Amino acid sequence: MKITCRKDLLNHAVQTVQKAVATKNPLPILTGIYLAAQDNRLQLQATDYEIGISCSIEAQVEKPGAIVLSGRYFQELVRRLPGETVEIASNTEDRTIRIASASAQFNLLSLPAEEFPVLKPLSSDQSFTVKDNILRELIKKTVFACATDEARPIFTGGLLEADELGIRMVATNTHRLALKKDVLDAFGQPGINSKVKMIIPAKFLAEVARLLVSEVPMDVKVSWHKNQVSFEFDNVYIIARIIEGQFPDYNKVIPTNFATVAEINTDQFGAAVERVALLAKDGDYNIIKFSFKPDHIIITSNNPDVGKACEMVGATMTGNEIDIAFNARYVLDIIKNIDSELLRFSLNTPLSPACIKPVDDENYTYVITPVRTS
Amino acid sequence: MKITCRKDLLNHAVQTVQKAVATKNPLPILTGIYLAAQDNRLQLQATDYEIGISCSIEAQVEKPGAIVLSGRYFQELVRRLPGETVEIASNTEDRTIRIASASAQFNLLSLPAEEFPVLKPLSSDQSFTVKDNILRELIKKTVFACATDEARPIFTGGLLEADELGIRMVATNTHRLALKKDVLDAFGQPGINSKVKMIIPAKFLAEVARLLVSEVPMDVKVSWHKNQVSFEFDNVYIIARIIEGQFPDYNKVIPTNFATVAEINTDQFGAAVERVALLAKDGDYNIIKFSFKPDHIIITSNNPDVGKACEMVGATMTGNEIDIAFNARYVLDIIKNIDSELLRFSLNTPLSPACIKPVDDENYTYVITPVRTS
């Protein structure tokens, strides 16, 4: 292999695939980045068998071929190269790869390219396209609610649904649930012949959102086949395994009628909850208490080892007064994701699930289960 | 105790003393911040017995007194308080302290104030003053060269000297040495009755430099008495123990004649050394090699597990060509501290100490011992 390419493009491609490079995998080949040159393109790939990412860039290909370089060193190096272009050439005598840029020259040992599990695009006729900004919001506003505990795999992923009603993503750890909906202009396009419904690993979704940063609007093609799903956009292709299992009917857990509805300034509420949470007891449940009154909410915590906190935040309430306790982190997580000035906190009883929403977005819903206190 | 003060002042004072709060100390009282109110001042103190920091601010003192609060919680809390002012009052019934700001109210458990080792100003007639920016530069440009290994305590501190020639700071770990000099206008002022020479802990010096960030030029008063040294500026007082022992005569290790002198662009040299160092072998000695030629320097490294690196940097050399090896980190440390466009690298033989200086600052000198290679 022998190619020349722009350094900034190469660096962007290396940073793109970098997250899929295995760091702890027992298979050495997975700690590498695969480079394949052909037809004036250089393709980079990395996979840890959970996620696979491929990114291709323009290159002058003098001699086609494929090599694998240490992900760690190649990434550190490319980032710092001095020139505007980079030349990469394999040395046929030893197993080294020469990387030259301006006055810098490196000879990196390569890994055996034939051992790399090269990513192949899914051969699928099942796909649809979605705007990048819509997909990014779907992920960002829900994926934090996934379970991190691997005990119940279906909750470590986000459920993606698409049908004639639009596109939706749902995530839950059974104690709280986030649902974000949007329109899907493209529904009905060839490829979607039935309702789409699949659970996609949270780690993978977070990576897709990280890569969706283009300032130019673009389409993302979502394809699936058997137990795999891929997202394709710009010059990037990213693939992962679909989580098997049945996601529970989330509509059943979203309450629709409420005995208490309060509207609260999002920033003030967030700051107050954060302060009270400082004194919440460490451990699994950072319990803080909320007392909903007609024109304000009193938020308190009590940590026998540290002290007590009490905050008052103005609110417009209709319905019944209520005292209720929540895990502080679950409340903070949603407040951080609400962009509107006001949020709506809707409740029923101290032991039934409550609902938090931005007042101006009917398409975003968060359900949170209260904590029983003595 | 009962006081009211401005929140921004209180926050600044807490952040100032915070670094002296003990985190791992077995004595619980040292994990606290001491607050004493008297004569319209609130004084905050923290000490871990290595460093003591005191900072005082204006306050309306309704009832004088002293309390100690958990450093960790008090700091987190004050930073986030919502109001412009804060009221702090001790509750005589229980041991709690009420902290109120706007609609937020906290009751923190206090620690027994009588157990806190209150810092007393040194009763010393030995002192001099130095401009803050001069002291900050003396520290910043040398303290990184100290030893981190506690085996030889004298090298874990910087040597501060002041006399009729000026003020100087020296730091070394015996493999490299940094010396920075400056003028001392104030020499001869009452208080300095002999040459000043003391070894001050690096951790303490770094803390002093961190606190010297005022945009308004100010004087720093340096005092010492027996085995203690204090720095006083603005509303801050910081004290530590002087390291006992004899600092070696550093003038003896600074070479004055050279067989090879090269002038090199600082940024280009730094970037090249950093890239070559990427492939230096991990471990205690990140060895990289330098080959000095009449109009350039070739920098190389060789790591059998990863590969080889080779960089060429233009240079203006006079004297003999020379091949020499150094610990890459020791070279990078000084390059980062050179502000001028060009640096001067002066050498004798592959086994004798070399010297790196900014070309425009005769008062800054770095000596580095080469590494013997096979």
Side-chain angles (χ1 to χ4, degrees):
Chain A
M1 187 179 101
K2 187 170 180 187
I3 64 114
T4 307
C5 66
R6 271 171 51 192
K7 182 220 145 168
D8 55 346
L9 292 182
L10 182 64
N11 188 38
H12 172 75
V14 173
Q15 303 304 333
T16 298
V17 303
Q18 184 62 26
K19 273 286 172 71
V21 172
T23 46
K24 292 176 207 160
N25 201 295
L27 270 180
I29 192 70
L30 299 188
T31 64
I33 292 177
Y34 172 87
L35 291 89
Q38 205 178 3
D39 303 334
N40 289 324
R41 301 292 291 180
L42 177 68
Q43 190 179 54
L44 281 79
Q45 293 194 355
T47 179
D48 60 3
Y49 280 146
E50 281 187 43
I51 295 183
I53 309 178
S54 165
C55 181
S56 82
I57 59 171
E58 258 182 63
Q60 269 178 268
V61 178
E62 211 173 295
K63 208 172 135 190
I67 58 169
V68 177
L69 290 169
S70 152
R72 177 181 153 208
Y73 286 101
F74 188 53
Q75 186 250 115
E76 292 274 358
L77 188 57
V78 169
R79 197 156 65 85
R80 292 186 173 90
L81 286 177
E84 291 197 357
T85 62
V86 185
E87 194 189 287
I88 303 178
S90 51
N91 191 329
T92 43
E93 286 166 38
D94 51 17
R95 284 231 326 270
T96 66
I97 309 297
R98 197 173 70 93
I99 299 164
S101 180
S103 59
Q105 187 177 313
F106 295 80
N107 283 71
L108 291 187
L109 298 187
S110 64
L111 298 161
E114 63 281 7
E115 288 180 14
F116 190 86
V118 179
L119 304 174
K120 302 264 183 260
L122 287 184
S123 62
S124 167
D125 56 353
Q126 291 186 295
S127 66
F128 66 90
T129 61
V130 54
K131 297 281 172 219
D132 61 336
N133 58 337
I134 290 180
L135 181 61
R136 191 173 52 224
E137 282 294 289
L138 286 177
I139 297 173
K140 229 186 106 234
K141 299 253 187 246
T142 58
V143 78
F144 67 87
C146 284
T148 48
D149 176 8
E150 300 280 336
R152 299 174 71 184
I154 54 164
F155 296 124
T156 63
L159 175 72
L160 178 67
E161 288 186 332
D163 53 31
E164 68 284 0
L165 297 174
I167 185 166
R168 297 176 295 283
M169 192 164 277
V170 192
T172 181
N173 68 354
T174 74
H175 304 296
R176 44 96 174 259
L177 176 145
L179 162 65
K180 174 75 182 158
K181 303 177 189 178
D182 214 316
V183 292
L184 186 63
D185 292 338
F187 191 78
Q189 57 189 307
I192 299 199
N193 39 31
S194 63
K195 290 190 178 192
V196 178
K197 194 164 181 162
M198 52 193 163
I199 309 170
I200 305 175
K203 183 186 161 194
F204 174 76
L205 288 172
E207 194 51 29
V208 171
R210 184 185 73 96
L211 295 175
L212 288 175
V213 287
S214 168
E215 282 168 23
V216 187
M218 58 183 179
D219 283 337
V220 179
K221 185 178 172 191
V222 183
S223 309
W224 61 100
H225 183 68
K226 289 182 180 165
N227 68 340
Q228 288 194 299
V229 59
S230 72
F231 290 70
E232 216 175 327
F233 46 92
D234 205 3
N235 54 352
V236 177
Y237 182 83
I238 170 165
I239 188 166
R241 211 163 294 175
I242 294 170
I243 298 177
E244 283 174 56
Q246 187 68 30
F247 205 86
D249 182 0
Y250 58 86
N251 286 308
K252 282 194 186 151
V253 304
I254 301 175
T256 45
N257 295 307
F258 300 101
T260 306
V261 176
E263 290 196 358
I264 319 161
N265 178 287
T266 308
D267 289 345
Q268 283 176 17
F269 190 52
V273 171
E274 205 173 302
R275 284 189 295 270
V276 173
L278 278 178
L279 299 196
K281 236 183 135 174
D282 293 336
D284 284 347
Y285 303 101
N286 304 299
I287 298 174
I288 63 177
K289 295 185 183 179
F290 297 77
S291 205
F292 287 79
K293 306 286 180 192
D295 61 356
H296 64 274
I297 302 171
I298 295 168
I299 314 166
T300 55
S301 63
N302 185 358
N303 183 335
D305 300 330
V306 185
K308 292 178 192 180
C310 179
E311 290 265 353
M312 203 176 78
V313 179
T316 316
M317 192 196 78
T318 52
N320 304 335
E321 296 194 10
I322 176 174
D323 290 343
I324 191 166
F326 293 104
N327 178 325
R329 189 165 65 82
Y330 291 171
V331 179
L332 284 172
D333 280 349
I334 180 63
I335 296 174
K336 279 179 206 147
N337 274 290
I338 289 181
D339 308 319
S340 69
E341 198 190 331
L342 292 176
L343 63 82
R344 186 179 301 130
F345 206 145
S346 310
L347 311 100
N348 278 307
T349 74
L351 295 179
S352 52
C355 201
I356 300 176
K357 291 171 86 77
V359 292
D360 62 2
D361 183 2
E362 268 311 304
N363 287 322
Y364 190 26
T365 305
Y366 188 75
V367 178
I368 178 170
T369 308
V371 182
R372 189 190 294 264
T373 58
S374 52
Chain B
M1 186 178 104
K2 187 171 181 186
I3 64 116
T4 307
C5 67
R6 272 173 47 193
K7 182 220 144 170
D8 58 343
L9 293 181
L10 181 64
N11 188 38
H12 173 77
V14 172
Q15 303 304 332
T16 298
V17 304
Q18 182 62 22
K19 273 287 172 72
V21 172
T23 46
K24 292 176 208 163
N25 202 294
L27 271 179
I29 192 70
L30 298 187
T31 64
I33 292 177
Y34 171 86
L35 290 89
Q38 205 179 2
D39 303 334
N40 289 325
R41 301 291 294 176
L42 176 70
Q43 191 180 53
L44 281 78
Q45 292 195 355
T47 179
D48 60 3
Y49 278 145
E50 280 187 43
I51 296 182
I53 308 178
S54 164
C55 182
S56 80
I57 59 170
E58 259 183 60
Q60 269 177 268
V61 178
E62 211 172 298
K63 208 170 135 191
I67 57 169
V68 177
L69 290 171
S70 153
R72 176 180 155 209
Y73 287 100
F74 188 54
Q75 187 250 115
E76 292 274 358
L77 188 57
V78 169
R79 197 155 65 83
R80 292 186 175 87
L81 286 177
E84 291 197 357
T85 62
V86 184
E87 194 189 287
I88 303 176
S90 52
N91 190 329
T92 42
E93 286 165 37
D94 50 17
R95 286 233 322 276
T96 67
I97 309 297
R98 198 173 68 94
I99 299 164
S101 181
S103 59
Q105 186 176 314
F106 294 80
N107 283 70
L108 290 187
L109 298 187
S110 64
L111 297 161
E114 63 280 7
E115 287 180 14
F116 190 87
V118 179
L119 304 174
K120 302 264 182 258
L122 287 184
S123 61
S124 166
D125 57 354
Q126 292 185 296
S127 67
F128 66 91
T129 61
V130 55
K131 297 281 172 218
D132 61 337
N133 58 335
I134 291 179
L135 181 61
R136 190 173 52 224
E137 280 294 288
L138 287 176
I139 297 172
K140 226 186 109 236
K141 299 248 188 253
T142 57
V143 77
F144 67 88
C146 285
T148 47
D149 175 9
E150 300 280 336
R152 299 176 71 184
I154 53 164
F155 297 124
T156 62
L159 176 71
L160 178 67
E161 289 187 334
D163 54 30
E164 68 283 4
L165 297 175
I167 184 164
R168 294 175 297 283
M169 191 160 281
V170 193
T172 182
N173 68 353
T174 74
H175 304 295
R176 45 96 173 260
L177 175 145
L179 162 65
K180 173 76 183 157
K181 305 177 187 178
D182 215 314
V183 294
L184 186 63
D185 292 340
F187 192 78
Q189 55 189 308
I192 299 201
N193 40 28
S194 64
K195 290 189 180 193
V196 178
K197 193 166 182 161
M198 52 192 163
I199 309 171
I200 306 175
K203 183 187 161 191
F204 174 77
L205 288 172
E207 195 49 33
V208 171
R210 185 185 73 94
L211 295 175
L212 287 174
V213 286
S214 167
E215 281 167 23
V216 188
M218 59 183 179
D219 283 338
V220 179
K221 184 176 174 193
V222 183
S223 308
W224 61 99
H225 182 69
K226 292 183 179 164
N227 69 341
Q228 288 195 299
V229 59
S230 71
F231 290 70
E232 217 176 327
F233 46 92
D234 204 4
N235 54 352
V236 177
Y237 182 83
I238 169 165
I239 188 166
R241 210 165 291 175
I242 295 169
I243 298 176
E244 283 175 58
Q246 187 70 30
F247 204 86
D249 182 0
Y250 58 87
N251 287 307
K252 280 193 186 153
V253 303
I254 300 175
T256 45
N257 296 307
F258 299 100
T260 306
V261 176
E263 290 194 358
I264 318 161
N265 177 286
T266 307
D267 290 344
Q268 283 175 18
F269 191 53
V273 170
E274 204 172 302
R275 282 188 296 269
V276 174
L278 279 180
L279 270 55
K281 237 182 130 172
D282 294 336
D284 283 348
Y285 303 103
N286 304 300
I287 298 173
I288 64 176
K289 294 184 181 180
F290 297 78
S291 202
F292 287 79
K293 306 287 179 192
D295 61 356
H296 65 272
I297 302 171
I298 295 168
I299 314 165
T300 55
S301 63
N302 186 356
N303 183 334
D305 300 328
V306 186
K308 292 178 189 181
C310 178
E311 291 265 352
M312 201 176 81
V313 179
T316 317
M317 193 196 76
T318 54
N320 304 334
E321 295 191 10
I322 177 176
D323 291 342
I324 191 167
F326 293 104
N327 178 325
R329 189 166 64 85
Y330 291 172
V331 179
L332 284 172
D333 280 350
I334 178 64
I335 296 175
K336 279 179 206 150
N337 274 289
I338 289 181
D339 308 319
S340 68
E341 196 189 334
L342 292 176
L343 63 81
R344 187 180 298 128
F345 205 146
S346 311
L347 311 100
N348 279 307
T349 75
L351 293 179
S352 52
C355 202
I356 300 174
K357 291 173 84 82
V359 293
D360 62 2
D361 183 2
E362 268 312 304
N363 288 323
Y364 189 27
T365 305
Y366 188 74
V367 179
I368 177 170
T369 308
V371 182
R372 190 190 292 263
T373 57
S374 50

